[in-house]
Amino acid sequence: MEEVRIDLRIESSERKAESKRSTQLCFKINHTMPMTEECTALIKELFPNMGENVMIQPPLQVNLGNMVKIGSNVSIMYNLLCMSGGGITIEDGAQIAANCSLISNNHDFKDRKILTCKPIVIKKNVWIGAGSIILPGVTIGENAIVGAGSVVTKDVAANTVVAGVPAKFIKNID
């Protein structure tokens, strides 16, 4: 996965506009009656690349909604955090439990005004347990399960269970 580096000292009008749009939409979503047509419309506006039959429970925080792609039949519970500068893809049938963080950007260790961004890919039918954190550049393979409270620092193979800090292989799913 290719790293994208963003120098925060150089202003990008497009990035700034998307950050403002996303932040303001999150505020509106988080202050709108859940499970209403109004809330659903705001969520669809936040995520222009979203499939059908997606259920997202507010509240949520997303810094760049246009950098998040969500497939169909996805379920996302309360308190999702997406730091999406590197891009986040959530494929069909994925389930993300409450209090999860998808962090696709980091800071350069030596020059902290540089964001280092790598995409996160959550493949089909993945289940991410409550309170898990997925870090930059991670791909979680189809049908995998991430145990609650895990910190995923490396790719997860398809049809496996991982858990822990950092997440480690637990078993294969038959």
Side-chain angles (χ1 to χ4, degrees):
M1 300 205 169
E2 190 170 320
E3 179 179 88
V4 174
R5 296 174 63 83
I6 299 169
D7 189 334
L8 296 175
R9 294 169 290 234
I10 301 169
E11 189 171 305
S12 161
S13 58
E14 291 149 4
R15 185 177 171 83
K16 187 175 181 181
E18 178 57 25
S19 177
K20 180 178 179 180
R21 183 190 82 87
S22 296
T23 300
Q24 290 179 346
L25 279 167
C26 285
F27 180 87
K28 288 179 185 177
I29 291 164
N30 295 338
H31 292 86
T32 300
M33 183 64 69
M35 299 182 195
T36 62
E37 288 181 24
E38 180 183 8
C39 190
T40 300
L42 290 168
I43 290 169
K44 287 180 180 178
E45 188 177 345
L46 176 63
F47 298 114
N49 303 305
M50 186 169 74
E52 299 297 318
N53 196 31
V54 173
M55 191 274 301
I56 298 175
Q57 292 289 347
L60 70 158
Q61 294 297 322
V62 180
N63 69 333
L64 300 169
N66 68 340
M67 297 292 289
V68 180
K69 295 179 180 141
I70 302 173
S72 295
N73 304 308
V74 170
S75 174
I76 300 173
M77 295 309 290
Y78 314 97
N79 297 316
L80 174 71
L81 171 63
C82 289
M83 298 300 292
S84 50
I88 297 171
T89 301
I90 303 168
E91 293 186 359
D92 296 346
Q95 297 179 75
I96 300 176
N99 301 312
C100 288
S101 298
L102 308 178
I103 312 295
S104 71
N105 41 289
N106 200 352
H107 292 270
D108 183 89
F109 289 174
K110 293 180 181 170
D111 184 352
R112 301 206 178 134
K113 295 290 184 182
I114 302 285
L115 284 182
T116 57
C117 306
K118 292 182 183 177
I120 291 172
V121 179
I122 299 169
K123 296 289 196 173
K124 292 180 181 177
N125 301 315
V126 165
W127 173 17
I128 299 177
S132 293
I133 301 169
I134 313 302
L135 294 179
V138 168
T139 295
I140 302 176
E142 284 192 25
N143 304 309
I145 298 172
V146 175
S150 296
V151 177
V152 184
T153 61
K154 297 178 183 172
D155 289 353
V156 175
N159 301 302
T160 62
V161 177
V162 300
V165 180
K168 294 186 184 335
F169 171 82
I170 303 295
K171 68 178 185 173
N172 288 307
I173 299 171
D174 296 328

